[in-house]
């Protein structure tokens, strides 16, 4: 078999997703790889297909028992023989599994990193033919990552003890530039193929809300999304228990998970959630890393997490099937204090030197600040996250709470100047609370003790509330006018930009809500018609009333089979597959195999029962169970595409799916070359030449990411500010750094493309 046959037979898909084929080809060619791909992008298939094509065994290092069980269960359901080796098995079971693997029974063996140093496992690995070693959740190997695990360092020693080094592949969903470089270095990847497909999860809607009563907000949200599966994350066990009791008292089918529960209770609660007996889970961050539940429709963070890495990973458990889902963060100022307390009481790694421990604490503080700024920013939330991970967005995603609210700009430069003067008078010895209290002229005991009334700036903003002053200080921190010390005291200091504020060369502009926000907190936190204004379509927008009835019958059948086989329902078929099944309404095997997610093995196991259910529902008569015309959803290849692929999210009708951006030679010949373009300007010129009805737009962010992938440009944080640079190869290709001006009148550096670069980029897109 080739890779395409394996993809269809075992996984039920006709085509690879973005980046998958590139990594698969590299592994099959004997190269090491590093894949940084968002949750739901199909990382597992990237290493599972080469594993099935390699002559020997693939060992997959995975951090959690639940994660291994989930992966092995899904593979076995797809017809792939796989096993896991971890502490949940007895020594006899482990010995038997290794014996069967050595005999060729298993192509893929999952193992915990601690298992690598045991004599039995090492002896097995030396005797067996190990074709590849895959490191899942590879960010765990970096001490600068958000979830460093010293046990992952055993992987390096394990590789050195093998007689022949196998192909090494590493995958993660979240990695900053530093963590990416650390993974390559620590794992000693040889000339790796590195792929960053982008961190953007377009199907996720992001929102930050500040309700006065979080528990009432959460209850109303869950009640308005009855029947949908969701996770509510809390920072402490106490909050988990409190919220669980309140939701259960209101009749919500809810369960809970945290480290304070007994093992059996945690296991039962997790299974109740996975099997949809209790579709709502309230948990600490101890829950979720090993959960591959595809139909989680929302993730609510009851408290702000400690870092954007943690937040994006946890929020990313929503919408793994690619369907529209919502990620809501409920913020309050108290969340910062809670997280700082948790950091202060964090168990230190005994393997760290004193210098390393200090560096890790500073990094933790920096992460917490970035997370805090995410909650405060009035700009696009998606753009904020993408920039944090080294990417760029277009600044207006249209699918986050900030982009859907209407703001007006207010010049607060004069107030900012008074804040700068106060901090300078204090010589940077105090944090935000003392500075705000001093400016507001507060007379509390702590401020009297510090003698702040003696400063000339005392009471200079007495007409403002401390909360209002803090908002402006936070905006100044985000813009880099102010900074805080990297220790837990977070003392305020001024930067070089502060002088420009004082002399009138830099304007500080705040965004203030023009209209009522998505959640109106002043009237009992009443919700405005659900959470998001997301333009993405749900199943009810895709299927008509008859289609929804068929979907429910197929879902009931899926639950019935799941109980019979003791596997989670989503492992049988995902919601996306059931939706496509309703759209195509197959009557025979040939038609069923055209449904996205139905492979040959899945058909042999379950196909006939689903065909029978469809036949009973339709009485053998073809019906249309969806909105729009199915004939319009034919791809250019002439093959039927899955409905989820064809659905374009507009107008309530299904249309022919647009192709990725390209130009014909005739269109390219009309390109208006210029002395220089920014990426966004270049994209605008390119989009103006395309066939709008058939071809998707290309964005400036996509062009910039391609430049990064080619090694022409880099972007990293320097002194708290994102800065771009051009490599020598980039300069040779026609890229250069130039100054540009923001809408606020601020000058900053950006990458420009001269005519040579424009011609190069144009050729990439000519079809």
């Amino acid at each position: 078999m080739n890779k395409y046959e394996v993809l269809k037979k075992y996984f039920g898909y006709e085509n690879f997703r973005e980046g998958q084929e590139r990594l698969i080809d590299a592994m099959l060619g004997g190269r090491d790889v590093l894949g940084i791909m968002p949750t739901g992008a199909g990382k597992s298939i990237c290493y599972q297909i080469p594993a099935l094509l390699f002559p020997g065994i693939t060992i997959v290092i995975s951090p959690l028992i639940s994660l291994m069980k989930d992966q092995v269960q899904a593979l076995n359901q797809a017809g792939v023989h796989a096993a896991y080796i971890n502490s949940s098995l007895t020594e006899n079971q482990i010995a038997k599994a290794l014996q069967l693997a050595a005999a060729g029974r298993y192509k893929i063996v999952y193992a915990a990193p601690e298992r690598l140093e045991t004599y039995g496992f090492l002896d097995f690995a030396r005797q067996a033919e190990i074709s590849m070693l895959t490191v899942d959740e590879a960010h765990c190997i970096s001490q600068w990552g958000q979830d460093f695990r010293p046990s992952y360092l055993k992987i390096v020693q394990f590789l050195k003890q093998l007689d022949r080094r196998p192909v090494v592949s590493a995958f993660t969903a979240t990695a900053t530039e530093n963590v990416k470089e650390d993974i390559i270095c620590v794992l000693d990847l040889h000339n790796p193929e590195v792929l960053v497909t982008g961190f953007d999860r377009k199907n996720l809607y992001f929102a930050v809300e500040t309700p006065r009563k979080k528990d009432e907000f959460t209850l109303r949200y869950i009640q308005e999304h009855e029947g949908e599966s969701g996770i509510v994350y809390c920072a402490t066990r106490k909050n988990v228990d409190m919220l669980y009791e309140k939701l259960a008292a209101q009749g919500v089918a809810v369960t809970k998970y945290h480290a304070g529960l007994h093992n059996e209770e945690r296991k039962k609660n997790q299974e109740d959630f996975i099997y949809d007996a209790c579709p709502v889970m309230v948990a600490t961050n101890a829950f979720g890393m090993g959960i591959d539940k595809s139909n989680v429709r929302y993730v609510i963070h009851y408290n702000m997490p400690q870092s954007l890495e943690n937040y994006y990973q946890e929020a990313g458990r929503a919408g793994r099937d690619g369907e529209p889902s919502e990620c809501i963060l409920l913020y309050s100022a108290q969340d910062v204090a809670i997280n700082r307390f948790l950091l202060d009481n964090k168990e230190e790694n005994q393997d760290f030197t004193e210098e390393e421990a200090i560096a890790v604490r500073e990094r933790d503080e920096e992460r917490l600040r970035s997370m805090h700024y995410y909650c405060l920013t009035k700009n696009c939330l998606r753009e904020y996250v993408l920039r944090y991970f080294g990417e760029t967005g277009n600044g207006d995603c249209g699918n986050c709470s900030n982009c859907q609210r209407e703001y007006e700009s207010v010049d607060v430069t004069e107030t900012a100047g008074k804040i700068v003067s106060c901090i300078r008078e204090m010589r940077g010895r105090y944090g935000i609370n003392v500075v705000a209290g001093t400016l507001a002229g507060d007379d509390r005991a702590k401020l009297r003790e510090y003698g702040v009334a003696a400063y000339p700036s005392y009471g200079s903003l007495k007409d403002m509330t401390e909360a209002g002053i803090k908002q402006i200080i936070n905006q100044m921190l985000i813009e880099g006018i102010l900074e805080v010390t990297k220790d837990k005291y977070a003392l305020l200091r001024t930067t070089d930009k502060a002088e420009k504020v004082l002399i009138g060369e830099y304007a500080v502009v705040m965004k203030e809500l023009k209209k009522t926000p998505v959640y109106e907190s002043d009237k009992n936190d009443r919700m405005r018609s659900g959470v998001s204004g997301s333009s993405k379509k749900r199943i009810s927008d895709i299927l008509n009333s008859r289609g929804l009835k068929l979907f429910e019958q197929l879902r009931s059948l899926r639950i019935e089979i799941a109980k019979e086989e003791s596997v989670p329902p989503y492992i049988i078929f995902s919601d996306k597959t059931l939706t496509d099944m309703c759209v195509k309404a197959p009557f025979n095997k040939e038609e069923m195999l055209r449904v996205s997610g139905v492979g040959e093995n899945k058909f042999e196991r379950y196909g006939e029962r689903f065909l029978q259910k469809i036949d009973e529902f339709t009485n053998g008569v073809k019906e249309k169970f969806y909105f729009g015309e199915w004939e319009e959803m034919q791809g250019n290849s002439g093959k039927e595409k899955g409905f989820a692929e064809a659905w374009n999210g507009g107008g309530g009708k299904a249309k022919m799916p647009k192709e990725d951006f390209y130009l014909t030679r005739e269109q390219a010949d009309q390109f208006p070359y210029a002395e220089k373009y920014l990426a966004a300007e270049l994209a605008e010129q390119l989009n103006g030449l395309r066939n709008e009805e058939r071809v998707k737009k290309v964005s400036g962010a996509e062009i910039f990411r391609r430049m990064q992938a080619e090694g022409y440009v880099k972007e990293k944080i320097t002194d708290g500010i994102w800065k771009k640079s051009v490599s020598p190869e980039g300069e040779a290709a026609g890229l250069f750094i130039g100054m540009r001006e923001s809408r606020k009148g601020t000058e900053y550096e950006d990458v420009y493309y001269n005519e040579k670069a424009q011609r190069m980029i144009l050729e990439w897109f000519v079809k």
Side-chain angles (χ1 to χ4, degrees):
M1 286 195 295
N2 60 36
K3 59 188 177 185
Y4 300 107
E5 292 169 333
V6 171
L7 179 68
K8 181 57 186 174
K9 178 178 180 180
Y10 294 106
F11 304 103
Y13 302 117
E14 297 283 353
N15 301 301
F16 288 104
R17 296 184 189 176
E18 180 188 359
Q20 287 181 329
E21 193 167 10
R22 177 175 152 191
L23 292 179
I24 289 168
D25 288 343
M27 284 178 268
L28 291 175
R31 283 185 68 184
D32 290 352
V33 305
L34 169 59
I36 302 174
M37 307 164 75
T39 303
K43 292 186 292 293
S44 300
I45 282 180
C46 289
Y47 63 79
Q48 288 169 353
I49 286 181
L52 294 174
L53 292 172
F54 278 139
I57 298 168
T58 291
I59 296 173
V60 181
I61 307 303
S62 187
L64 291 179
I65 291 173
S66 57
L67 188 61
M68 298 183 213
K69 287 183 176 179
D70 211 48
Q71 292 277 9
V72 168
Q73 204 168 37
L75 283 169
N76 287 333
Q77 285 291 315
V80 177
H81 294 299
Y84 57 80
I85 309 294
N86 56 46
S87 58
S88 70
L89 304 178
T90 66
E91 288 303 317
N92 285 339
Q93 287 174 323
I94 290 172
K96 181 66 174 177
L98 292 178
Q99 181 183 350
L100 290 172
R105 169 72 174 172
Y106 303 123
K107 290 291 291 179
I108 304 176
V109 176
Y110 287 78
E114 295 84 359
R115 187 61 46 184
L116 300 181
E117 60 181 357
T118 63
Y119 174 79
F121 194 87
L122 183 60
D123 186 56
F124 149 75
R126 282 174 168 168
Q127 294 185 41
E129 182 183 0
I130 307 300
S131 294
M132 182 166 67
L133 184 135
T134 296
V135 183
D136 201 7
E137 306 294 343
H139 62 272
C140 293
I141 205 166
S142 171
Q143 67 177 357
W144 309 117
Q146 82 278 11
D147 194 27
F148 171 61
R149 295 172 184 247
S151 59
Y152 260 55
L153 297 176
K154 303 179 191 302
I155 298 170
V156 181
Q157 189 60 32
F158 173 76
L159 284 169
K160 290 178 179 177
Q161 296 181 74
L162 297 180
D163 296 333
R164 185 185 67 82
R165 184 184 185 279
V167 171
V168 179
S169 56
F171 295 89
T172 181
T174 54
T176 60
E177 186 66 25
N178 287 339
V179 172
K180 181 181 83 172
E181 292 173 359
D182 218 16
I183 293 170
I184 295 171
C185 178
V186 176
L187 275 179
D188 189 26
L189 298 182
H190 295 181
N191 185 32
E193 178 75 35
V194 180
L195 175 71
V196 182
T197 60
F199 291 91
D200 193 6
R201 298 277 307 282
K202 290 183 172 61
N203 64 311
L204 299 185
Y205 168 85
F206 291 95
V208 174
E209 305 300 340
T210 55
R212 273 192 269 168
K213 295 182 179 180
K214 292 184 178 183
D215 51 348
E216 292 182 9
F217 175 98
T218 305
L219 173 62
R220 281 196 298 274
Y221 180 94
I222 291 171
Q223 288 174 334
E224 291 197 2
H225 293 75
E226 186 179 1
E228 294 185 354
S229 184
I231 304 172
V232 184
Y233 280 109
C234 300
T236 64
R237 300 177 190 177
K238 181 180 177 181
N239 279 351
V240 169
D241 292 334
M242 175 276 296
L243 190 58
Y244 166 77
E245 295 294 339
K246 288 191 174 184
L247 294 176
Q250 294 298 318
V252 175
V254 62
T255 187
K256 64 179 179 177
Y257 189 104
H258 59 65
L261 303 177
H262 294 299
N263 286 340
E264 286 304 312
E265 187 177 4
R266 284 203 306 271
K267 182 180 178 182
K268 178 185 181 302
N269 292 354
Q270 179 170 299
E271 288 181 351
D272 284 347
F273 175 68
I274 289 174
Y275 288 88
D276 285 331
C278 295
V280 179
M281 169 64 78
V282 182
T284 62
N285 62 6
F287 174 81
M289 193 170 180
I291 303 303
D292 198 25
K293 195 170 194 283
S294 62
N295 66 333
V296 175
R297 292 278 74 88
Y298 60 86
V299 171
I300 298 174
H301 277 80
Y302 192 83
N303 304 105
M304 181 188 81
Q306 288 183 2
S307 71
L308 269 169
E309 288 95 335
N310 287 341
Y311 176 66
Y312 206 53
Q313 186 177 64
E314 291 159 13
R317 285 160 193 151
R320 294 178 69 105
D321 55 5
E323 295 300 293
S325 305
E326 292 165 350
C327 308
I328 317 297
L329 196 162
L330 308 184
Y331 168 73
S332 69
Q334 184 64 21
D335 292 339
V336 182
I338 291 172
N339 279 307
R340 186 150 282 120
F341 172 81
L342 293 173
L343 286 180
D344 288 340
N345 292 274
K346 181 180 176 181
E347 186 176 339
E348 289 190 10
N349 191 312
Q350 300 302 314
D351 294 332
F352 286 161
T353 65
E354 184 177 351
E355 282 186 4
E356 287 175 331
I358 292 172
V360 168
R361 175 55 196 246
E362 288 182 352
R363 180 66 176 136
D364 287 342
E365 287 285 346
E366 191 177 321
R367 284 199 188 97
L368 181 57
R369 280 192 292 277
S370 295
M371 186 72 247
H372 188 200
Y373 295 162
Y374 172 86
C375 297
L376 300 175
T377 185
K378 300 295 191 299
N379 295 322
C380 175
L381 295 174
R382 192 179 307 275
E383 166 94 359
Y384 187 98
V385 172
L386 293 178
R387 288 184 70 85
Y388 182 83
F389 288 111
E391 295 186 15
T392 55
N394 61 14
D396 183 7
C397 71
N399 198 29
C400 77
S401 57
N402 284 353
C403 287
Q404 292 185 359
R405 290 170 174 155
E406 192 172 348
Y407 292 99
E408 57 184 355
S409 297
V410 179
D411 193 315
V412 293
T413 306
E414 184 179 346
T415 303
K418 292 179 180 181
I419 292 170
V420 169
S421 297
C422 180
I423 294 170
R424 288 186 172 180
E425 289 167 9
M426 293 176 161
R427 298 183 181 178
R429 290 182 293 179
Y430 300 108
I432 189 171
N433 291 326
V434 174
V435 171
T438 300
L439 288 160
D442 194 89
D443 191 37
R444 57 183 180 267
K446 188 175 183 180
L447 296 182
R448 289 198 300 271
E449 180 185 339
Y450 291 154
V452 299
Y455 292 115
S457 56
Y458 180 76
S460 61
L461 295 176
K462 61 184 177 183
D463 293 334
M464 294 183 65
T465 64
E466 287 192 42
I469 295 170
K470 286 180 181 179
Q471 280 188 339
I472 298 176
I473 291 174
N474 285 322
Q475 180 65 28
M476 295 168 73
L477 286 166
I478 292 171
E479 292 190 33
I481 301 164
L482 303 178
E483 62 185 9
V484 294
T485 55
K486 293 184 177 181
D487 52 43
K488 63 181 179 181
Y489 303 107
L491 306 179
L492 283 171
R493 306 277 170 81
T494 62
T495 70
D496 293 340
K497 273 189 179 181
E499 187 63 32
K500 293 182 178 180
V501 172
L502 290 176
I503 63 178
E505 289 186 2
Y506 188 95
V508 183
V509 179
M510 289 280 291
K511 283 184 176 180
E512 293 185 358
L513 280 174
K514 200 171 184 178
K515 294 183 179 179
T516 305
V518 174
Y519 300 105
E520 182 181 351
S521 57
D522 292 333
K523 291 185 179 180
N524 301 317
D525 301 319
R526 180 178 58 82
M527 288 190 185
R528 188 190 76 182
S529 64
V531 168
S532 79
S534 172
S535 61
K536 300 287 185 178
K537 298 298 179 184
R538 294 184 175 278
I539 292 173
S540 57
D541 296 313
I542 298 171
L543 302 179
N544 59 29
S545 58
R546 283 278 290 165
L548 290 173
K549 289 179 182 177
L550 175 58
F551 179 85
E552 288 304 320
Q553 292 205 15
L554 296 181
R555 186 157 67 171
S556 296
L557 174 59
R558 182 179 66 179
I559 291 173
E560 181 184 322
I561 296 172
K563 289 178 179 178
E564 291 172 6
E565 302 205 1
S566 298
V567 298
Y570 60 84
I571 283 182
I572 307 295
F573 288 126
S574 69
D575 282 1
K576 181 183 283 189
T577 295
L578 293 189
T579 304
D580 199 32
M581 209 175 285
C582 292
V583 170
K584 292 194 171 90
F587 282 177
N588 54 50
K589 178 178 180 179
E590 182 183 0
E591 292 177 355
M592 180 65 88
L593 286 175
R594 292 180 191 154
V595 173
S596 177
V598 180
E600 291 180 16
N601 192 72
K602 285 284 184 79
F603 179 83
E604 293 304 321
R605 281 175 173 263
Y606 315 119
E608 291 296 343
R609 293 179 67 174
F610 280 88
L611 284 174
Q612 183 181 351
K613 180 65 68 175
I614 293 169
D615 185 62
E616 291 172 0
F617 187 83
T618 62
N619 290 317
V621 179
K622 281 286 185 183
E623 292 183 54
K624 191 176 79 172
F625 296 114
Y626 51 87
F627 297 111
E629 295 299 325
W630 176 239
E631 288 76 18
E632 294 177 356
M633 295 194 305
Q634 305 304 311
N636 290 334
S637 64
K639 294 181 179 179
E640 290 182 348
K641 294 196 173 188
F643 192 92
E645 295 176 58
W647 185 256
N648 74 341
K653 287 186 176 181
K655 299 179 181 179
M656 180 183 290
K658 291 185 178 182
E659 297 181 67
D660 288 339
F661 181 83
Y662 73 88
L663 296 175
T664 64
R665 173 55 64 188
E666 291 74 17
Q667 291 168 336
D669 287 342
Q670 300 174 45
F671 183 82
Y673 293 102
E675 181 183 347
K676 63 179 182 180
Y677 280 127
L678 291 164
E681 296 168 339
L682 184 54
E684 185 179 358
Q685 295 294 342
L686 291 167
N687 290 327
L689 299 173
R690 81 191 198 286
N691 182 326
E692 294 183 14
E693 294 182 358
R694 296 181 56 185
V695 180
K696 296 177 185 176
K697 284 185 176 182
V698 65
S699 68
E702 290 177 69
I703 293 172
F704 186 77
R705 282 199 293 269
R706 178 73 177 265
M707 296 297 107
Q708 286 180 305
E710 296 290 339
Y712 292 160
V713 294
K714 288 186 177 181
E715 188 176 32
K716 64 179 181 178
I717 294 179
T718 304
D719 298 326
I721 302 172
W722 284 100
K723 289 189 176 180
K724 298 174 181 176
S725 61
V726 175
S727 68
E729 293 81 7
E731 291 177 357
L735 283 66
F736 63 95
I737 295 291
M739 299 301 296
R740 63 178 295 194
E741 190 175 288
S742 72
R743 283 175 289 183
K744 297 177 183 178
T746 307
E747 285 197 337
Y748 63 98
E749 293 181 340
D750 207 339
V751 177
Y752 283 89
Y753 303 78
N754 69 16
E755 185 175 338
K756 181 179 180 182
Q758 293 163 32
R759 291 184 181 278
M760 172 186 71
I761 293 167
L762 195 66
E763 288 303 315
W764 288 347
F765 294 120
V766 172
K767 187 173 180 180

